Amino acid sequence: MNAWVFIAPVALILCIAIILASRLPRKLWELCAAFLVLGLVGYAFQGSPGLKAAPQAEPMRDNAAAAQLIEMRAQMAATFAGSKRWTILADSFARQGNYKLAMAVTGQGLKQQPKNADLWAAQGVYAMLANNGRIGAPSALAFTKAREFNSNLAAPDYFEGLNALVDGRLLDALRKWDAALKLAPKDSAWAAVVRHQRASLVGSVQRSLNAAPHSE
C-alpha cells in the first residue's frame, strides 16, 4: 500500500487545479472529490505524510494552475504599487515555470524593501510552486515574514490552506481559508473566488462521502 504515499498527494494536487479552475461542471467536481476521499482513506493507513524518506518534490509543472495561484497572490497584495516593479517581472518568470528566477527577482526587491510583506508573500508562492505546491522551509519562512510585516495580509493563510489540503488536512485547510476571508476587503474579487472554492470543496466531499458504500 506504499503507493498511496505518492498517489494521495498527486490526487490532491489535481483537485486543487480543478478547484482553482472554478469553471468545470459539477460532475467533474464530484469525481475529483471521490478520488480525493479514496486517496485519503488509503493514505490514512500509511502514517505521516512528512516522512523524511519521501523523495524531493519536483517543481509544479501545471502552468495553468500555477498562473492562477500567482494571480490570486497578486490580487491579495496590499501595497501593490510598492512591489509591482519587482512582482510584475517575477510573476512573468513564474508563469513560465522559472520559479528560481522569479525568486531571484523578488529577492533583489527584498534587499531594497526588506519589510515589504507583498514581496515576502510572492517569494513564498514561488518557493511553494518550486516545491510542487508544497510549503517547505523557504516558503514557510517567507509567509512568516509576510505575516510579520503585515498581519492583515491574507495570502499566507490562503496558501497555507492549500498546503493543508495537499497534506489531506481538510479541516485545517478550511480554517486557514476562513482566516484569509476574515482579512478580505469588502467586495474583494479574490474573496468571492475563495468562498466559491471553499463551498465547492465542502459540498463535493460531503456528496462523495454520502454516496460512498458503507462497509458492514
Side-chain angles (χ1 to χ4, degrees):
M1 293 181 66
N2 290 334
W4 282 112
V5 175
F6 303 99
I7 293 173
V10 171
L12 287 163
I13 290 172
L14 290 175
C15 283
I16 290 175
I18 292 175
I19 292 169
L20 290 174
S22 300
R23 297 180 180 177
L24 298 178
R26 172 188 280 187
K27 289 185 178 180
L28 290 182
W29 282 91
E30 294 175 343
L31 181 61
C32 170
F35 278 112
L36 181 143
V37 172
L38 290 174
L40 291 177
V41 170
Y43 190 48
F45 294 97
Q46 301 302 313
S48 173
L51 295 176
K52 294 183 179 180
Q56 184 175 2
E58 294 293 329
M60 189 172 182
R61 299 302 184 187
D62 188 334
N63 288 341
Q68 294 196 43
L69 291 177
I70 294 165
E71 177 60 26
M72 283 290 287
R73 193 278 315 159
Q75 290 183 16
M76 292 176 176
T79 57
F80 187 63
S83 59
K84 67 177 181 180
R85 59 179 294 195
W86 306 103
T87 56
I88 287 177
L89 178 59
D91 283 352
S92 67
F93 287 133
R95 289 189 180 94
Q96 298 171 28
N98 199 332
Y99 307 125
K100 290 185 177 180
L101 189 53
M103 292 173 67
V105 172
T106 48
Q108 288 297 315
L110 285 167
K111 289 181 180 179
Q112 296 186 23
Q113 303 176 36
K115 295 184 178 181
N116 189 307
D118 293 326
L119 286 177
W120 280 114
Q123 189 82 332
V125 173
Y126 304 146
M128 188 176 177
L129 292 172
N131 196 38
N132 203 22
R134 304 296 294 275
I135 290 181
S139 45
L141 173 62
F143 289 141
T144 297
K145 288 288 188 179
R147 187 179 282 115
E148 175 185 348
F149 295 126
N150 186 352
S151 59
N152 292 319
L153 190 63
D157 284 317
Y158 176 72
F159 288 101
E160 287 168 356
L162 284 182
N163 185 73
L165 179 61
V166 173
D167 281 344
R169 296 180 286 112
L170 301 187
L171 292 179
D172 286 342
L174 293 174
R175 278 194 288 265
K176 283 291 183 179
W177 283 359
D178 286 342
L181 287 171
K182 288 181 180 179
L183 299 174
K186 186 177 181 180
D187 300 327
S188 169
W190 66 258
V193 174
V194 176
R195 291 189 189 97
H196 179 68
Q197 292 172 358
R198 186 190 187 285
S200 297
L201 176 60
V202 171
S204 297
V205 172
Q206 287 178 340
R207 286 191 294 270
S208 296
L209 287 174
N210 292 336
H214 299 283
S215 58
E216 296 182 359

